[in-house]
Amino acid sequence: MFININKTDFPKLYKRLFKNAPTRNNLFQLEFARAWANPDLIEVKEPRFAYELKPQFQDFFESSNEPFLGFDNPLNEHPEYHTAKEWQRVDDDIKNMYKKVEEK
């Protein structure tokens, strides 16, 4: 089964299964085999992104202690992470005030 996993067609899976220390490879291959045998173990996670207030809007929020449309910390001391689906529900005018900064 593992012979069909090549780095061209499945680069991330290939790296996960074969490009670690031998003991880690064995652990990851066993984990993959379990998921293959029981697909209910597979959990698909949607990437989450942190959004940071653009510099030109920071002065406005420094004077306010009010949460802003679910962004409890507009100055991004502890950035909040949102999925693309959650971000779609944010008003376009608000989206323009933030930029995507990192994936979690």
Side-chain angles (χ1 to χ4, degrees):
M1 163 175 79
F2 289 133
I3 198 160
N4 293 328
I5 300 170
N6 60 65
K7 59 182 157 183
T8 303
D9 294 330
F10 308 100
K12 290 183 180 182
L13 182 58
Y14 180 85
K15 184 178 179 185
R16 172 98 172 159
L17 297 177
F18 302 114
K19 293 294 185 181
N20 299 286
T23 55
R24 302 272 302 164
N25 282 346
N26 291 342
L27 177 66
F28 293 141
Q29 290 171 10
L30 180 59
E31 180 183 71
F32 180 75
R34 284 185 183 138
W36 186 282
N38 187 359
D40 292 338
L41 296 174
I42 299 171
E43 179 183 353
V44 178
K45 287 187 165 183
E46 193 174 347
R48 300 179 74 78
F49 296 92
Y51 293 88
E52 182 178 89
L53 191 64
K54 293 178 182 175
Q56 64 266 34
F57 299 105
Q58 289 181 358
D59 289 340
F60 174 76
F61 286 101
E62 282 179 5
S63 62
S64 171
N65 291 328
E66 296 295 320
F68 192 69
L69 287 179
F71 292 95
D72 295 330
N73 185 12
L75 297 177
N76 303 306
E77 292 163 3
H78 306 286
E80 292 185 28
Y81 291 83
H82 302 275
T83 64
K85 194 174 193 177
E86 292 168 339
W87 190 243
Q88 279 182 311
R89 293 186 292 225
V90 175
D91 183 30
D92 286 340
D93 292 336
I94 303 305
K95 286 180 190 176
N96 292 330
M97 296 170 60
Y98 288 84
K99 65 180 178 181
K100 189 186 299 185
V101 290
E102 67 178 281
E103 182 178 346
K104 180 178 180 183

